[in-house]
Amino acid sequence: MSFAAHKPKNEECLVCHSDATLTKEVNGKQTSLFVDEGKLKHSVHGDIFTCVDCHTDVKDLAHSTPPKKITCAQCHADAQEA
């Protein structure tokens, strides 16, 4: 499903990312892709943004290309430098 037709909601992302066993290999090491829904909802960003507000390169739910890593500097350049 693409953004042109539908912007994914957090609940749709969490269908896969709420699985604590979801991992991906990064530099030969298994890295967790798990997202704790409770922590997300109660975080400073969770009540303001959706997953795809920050993961802007996600174009579909199946991730035809792997999303890039998100850094605080994308929105908070001054804080990142400090």
Side-chain angles (χ1 to χ4, degrees), residues 14-42:
L14 290 167
V15 166
C16 295
H17 287 279
S18 65
D19 178 354
T21 65
L22 184 64
T23 61
K24 152 183 164 170
E25 188 174 318
V26 177
N27 298 323
K29 179 181 171 186
Q30 290 299 314
T31 302
S32 176
L33 299 176
F34 169 70
V35 175
D36 183 318
E37 182 178 9
K39 287 183 180 179
L40 175 64
K41 283 184 179 179
H42 295 97

Side-chain angles (χ1 to χ4, degrees), residues 57-76:
D57 57 335
V58 172
K59 301 299 180 200
D60 53 40
L61 291 175
H63 305 318
S64 52
T65 58
K68 294 177 183 158
K69 185 175 181 176
I70 301 299
T71 67
C72 299
Q74 288 176 237
C75 296
H76 303 283

